[in-house]
Amino acid sequence: MSTTAWIVNVLALFGLVLSLIEDRRKTVRALAAGGRAALQIVPAVGTVILAIGLLLGFVPSDAIAQFLGTKHGFAGTFLIALLGAVLYMPALAAFPLAGSLLKSGASVTSVAAFITTLTMVGTVTLPLEVKVFGKKFTFLRNGLSFGIALLIAAIMGWVLS
Amino acid sequence: MTPTEERPQGRKRHLDWLIFGLCAGVFFSLVFLFPNQGTVSARAAWQYLLEMVQIMPAVLVLMGLFSVWISKEVVVRYLGQGSGIGGIVVAILFGTLPTGPLYVAFPVARALLDKGASVRNVVAFLSAWACIKIPQELVEIKFLGAEFTALRLGLTVVFVALMGWTIERVLERTERRTGNDRKGKRA
């Protein structure tokens, strides 16, 4: 197991023990909530794992590097940022996908843009957000978030390359 | 957790399983039709599956614990009172704690606005909720590295603070011009 995996497991165990000592009923509810989250996340994670497999097996990494690498710069990044904004995917499932893209030669900029728009811009939840906050707030928040994602991605590409 | 958190998931969950089934069908047909690339695919998928199995249960336990110990009510109680200088920091911190998708945060953020929290802080809170969940970030570190994660989160915090301020200014200006209620009309 990797270091991160160890840390996560130790943290979870520590939290679980602490929670059990403090309140057993609440802990049972926490585990039930975790179980419900698992049911929601398993199909998405499974789909992403299969997609990663296909990506790494059938799409030559040259193609990934060419489309999402540093060469094409803005166009590739903009497209994948758009994809991130439109897709509705749990971030938990998106991280391994992003990691595999990065390993196959996608640029830091593209991957950072994808993750950031995926989490911050919600096209699917747009109608709900308009209902709760009104049009102006919603379009400002999502539009600015999209711009910010591109900026963050550009800075990250610049710092980490 | 309140029932609102689960209701929108019902139909979506079936769709997710359907997509997963279709994807599995495509995956196994391709792997058997093209054994050369298929072997690479199967091996990669298996490796990622192992990595996920090592952390997912722990991440889900953490998410469950967070959702029970840091309820939405607690967040609203602490943030609704409208804090001063460190407001944005507090808003971002609180946004990282509860778990659940972004649409769960909308009603919470609305409640914050109605309780008098500033637009700036509510934007920061929403953004933090959307992209800085603590259990989730452990997964980001695992697959993208600590350096990538730290830099992305650091930049996000800075820009989100700027965005919150910008949105507040824009909304204030419109309000002055039209004389509307500061937070817009409730739907």
Side-chain angles (χ1 to χ4, degrees):
Chain A
M1 270 211 283
S2 70
T3 330
T4 320
W6 274 110
I7 295 173
V8 179
N9 280 282
V10 168
L11 269 179
L13 201 64
F14 185 68
L16 203 58
V17 170
L18 214 67
S19 173
L20 267 173
I21 292 170
E22 201 66 29
D23 188 335
R24 192 181 289 181
R25 297 246 299 284
K26 262 190 170 178
T27 312
V28 172
R29 269 200 292 141
L31 290 177
R36 274 198 303 274
L39 277 180
Q40 285 168 18
I41 266 168
V42 162
V45 169
T47 305
V48 165
I49 287 175
L50 294 174
I52 292 173
L54 292 179
L55 185 80
L56 296 180
F58 289 88
V59 182
S61 52
D62 293 356
I64 297 174
Q66 193 162 29
F67 182 62
L68 296 173
T70 38
K71 221 183 284 166
H72 272 292
F74 191 71
T77 304
F78 188 79
L79 277 176
I80 200 166
L82 219 55
L83 192 69
V86 175
L87 274 184
Y88 188 74
M89 183 199 288
L92 280 177
F95 292 133
L97 177 64
S100 71
L101 285 174
L102 202 59
K103 264 191 211 144
S104 315
S107 65
V108 171
T109 315
S110 301
V111 171
F114 176 67
I115 293 281
T116 311
T117 55
L118 188 71
T119 46
M120 282 177 65
V121 184
T123 312
V124 180
T125 51
L126 223 49
L128 190 65
E129 196 175 343
V130 169
K131 222 169 161 186
V132 179
F133 295 106
K135 271 191 195 128
K136 190 144 204 166
F137 179 95
T138 304
F139 290 123
L140 272 173
R141 196 192 70 79
N142 284 280
L144 285 174
S145 292
F146 189 80
I148 281 175
L150 290 177
L151 253 166
I152 290 174
I155 298 174
M156 287 188 64
W158 178 60
V159 175
L160 290 182
S161 56
Chain B
M1 275 202 269
T2 55
T4 40
E5 223 164 295
E6 290 155 61
R7 211 182 309 126
Q9 292 289 346
R11 214 179 306 142
K12 219 201 117 240
R13 203 186 291 174
H14 295 299
L15 189 66
D16 282 351
W17 282 107
L18 188 71
I19 293 171
F20 177 54
L22 284 174
C23 202
V26 171
F27 182 85
F28 288 111
S29 339
L30 281 173
V31 166
F32 283 113
L33 283 174
F34 306 94
N36 272 348
Q37 294 98 315
T39 316
V40 181
S41 283
R43 204 171 286 156
W46 177 247
Q47 203 208 320
Y48 272 89
L49 180 68
L50 285 183
E51 289 192 30
M52 288 309 265
V53 166
Q54 284 175 11
I55 51 169
M56 283 310 279
V59 169
L60 290 165
V61 165
L62 282 173
M63 284 170 69
L65 288 174
F66 275 60
S67 76
V68 169
W69 287 104
I70 302 138
S71 66
K72 282 169 282 186
E73 292 72 29
V74 173
V75 172
V76 173
R77 202 188 313 143
Y78 278 92
L79 266 180
Q81 291 150 355
S83 32
I85 318 148
I88 283 198
V89 178
V90 175
I92 288 176
L93 275 179
F94 266 103
T96 66
L97 294 178
T99 44
L102 187 57
Y103 60 76
V104 178
F106 293 153
V108 182
R110 181 74 243 182
L112 285 174
L113 278 179
D114 294 339
K115 281 198 165 194
S118 64
V119 173
R120 194 171 33 175
N121 290 1
V122 169
V123 170
F125 169 78
L126 267 181
S127 310
W129 185 307
C131 65
I132 326 183
K133 312 257 48 105
I134 290 172
Q136 191 169 290
E137 286 323 307
L138 297 167
V139 182
E140 181 168 3
I141 293 174
K142 170 102 178 66
F143 287 100
L144 293 165
E147 206 185 18
F148 182 100
T149 306
L151 185 60
R152 197 179 72 78
L153 294 186
L155 288 169
T156 303
V157 168
V158 172
F159 282 110
V160 155
L162 281 172
M163 171 168 79
W165 181 79
T166 310
I167 291 180
E168 186 169 278
R169 292 297 292 266
V170 173
L171 291 182
E172 264 171 11
R173 226 177 44 207
T174 357
E175 164 224 341
R176 230 177 289 133
R177 214 170 40 223
T178 59
N180 269 345
D181 172 30
R182 165 163 159 254
K183 278 114 194 187
K185 277 163 275 174
R186 278 199 82 156

